[in-house]
Amino acid sequence: MEKIINWLIGLEEWAGRLCAASARCAAADHPAAARVFTALSADEAEHAAYLEDALKCCLHSETLPETIRLDQATIGRAEAPLRQLQETLDGGCPHWETLVAKVIETERSEWNDLFLYVVETVKSRCPEMTQVAPHVQQHLRYIEKHLATIAPDKDWTTAMRAIPPVWQENILVVEDEAPIA
């Protein structure tokens, strides 16, 4: 499990750097998009911090079972969208819309599923990890909301909504007064 968590920390940090670079590229053309990329960079740093907490928890508890193994094919598929965004940025500053599309692909990547797998596995031993899923869902909602405001004519929402939710919100109202209930 520690190997998977360390790998995921590296991916979250990489995604954060890519979002920061995207913000710098978009700053001149579209300041609102640059602000979204900056916020996403901060979110990725927060995700890396969650994983670092998970790693500490793993090191202080009995060995967690690894029901998945990272093989080269999985690593390659998971890293592909980040690699593509890196190559795009290495080629110069593309149009901000290209960057948005690439960032959406990173959010849809398999590594996000692995991130959630780790959170689900670790939270049984580390109760503080239960807060992670709502934060990740808020991160996805933030992206969807702000993409709709920076480019209302684009249909990026469909791509974002294709990402399975990490947190199902439910409201339970408990009322003992019959007329109010």
Side-chain angles (χ1 to χ4, degrees):
M1 181 61 74
E2 290 86 6
K3 177 183 172 187
I4 294 171
I5 295 173
N6 278 315
W7 174 71
L8 287 169
I9 290 169
L11 291 183
E12 293 290 345
E13 291 171 345
W14 187 12
R17 289 189 304 275
L18 292 173
C19 286
S22 296
R24 289 188 296 275
C25 281
D29 292 340
H30 204 293
R35 285 190 297 276
V36 170
F37 289 132
T38 299
L40 295 180
S41 178
D43 283 355
E44 301 303 344
E46 186 176 72
H47 299 165
Y50 289 144
L51 288 166
E52 288 170 3
D53 290 343
L55 184 60
K56 288 176 194 165
C57 185
C58 284
L59 297 175
H60 295 296
S61 68
E62 62 188 69
T63 304
L64 289 167
E66 279 190 23
T67 53
I68 63 168
R69 296 221 187 271
L70 285 179
D71 59 12
Q72 288 305 312
T74 302
I75 291 170
R77 282 192 314 272
E79 292 179 353
L82 291 169
R83 228 179 292 103
Q84 291 169 2
L85 178 54
Q86 182 72 61
E87 290 167 4
T88 299
L89 288 164
D90 288 348
C93 281
H95 192 266
W96 66 273
E97 288 181 357
T98 301
L99 293 171
V100 167
K102 297 279 186 191
V103 166
I104 289 172
E105 282 307 307
T106 67
E107 291 296 329
R108 295 168 46 125
S109 170
E110 187 175 343
W111 65 272
N112 287 302
D113 295 334
L114 294 168
F115 174 90
L116 294 174
Y117 160 77
V118 166
V119 169
E120 284 299 312
T121 303
V122 173
K123 79 178 182 183
S124 65
R125 305 240 169 89
C126 306
E128 63 273 13
M129 296 307 291
T130 58
Q131 67 173 325
V132 175
H135 285 282
V136 172
Q137 188 63 39
Q138 182 179 1
H139 166 78
L140 295 173
R141 229 182 291 121
Y142 174 87
I143 296 170
E144 185 178 332
K145 174 185 167 193
H146 287 285
L147 290 181
T149 60
I150 64 173
D153 57 326
K154 297 287 180 186
D155 189 20
W156 287 318
T157 345
T158 303
M160 288 304 298
R161 287 190 180 151
I163 300 171
V166 247
W167 177 259
Q168 208 57 8
E169 297 160 320
N170 296 305
I171 298 174
L172 171 63
V173 178
V174 178
E175 181 57 56
D176 61 355
E177 297 290 326
I180 296 174

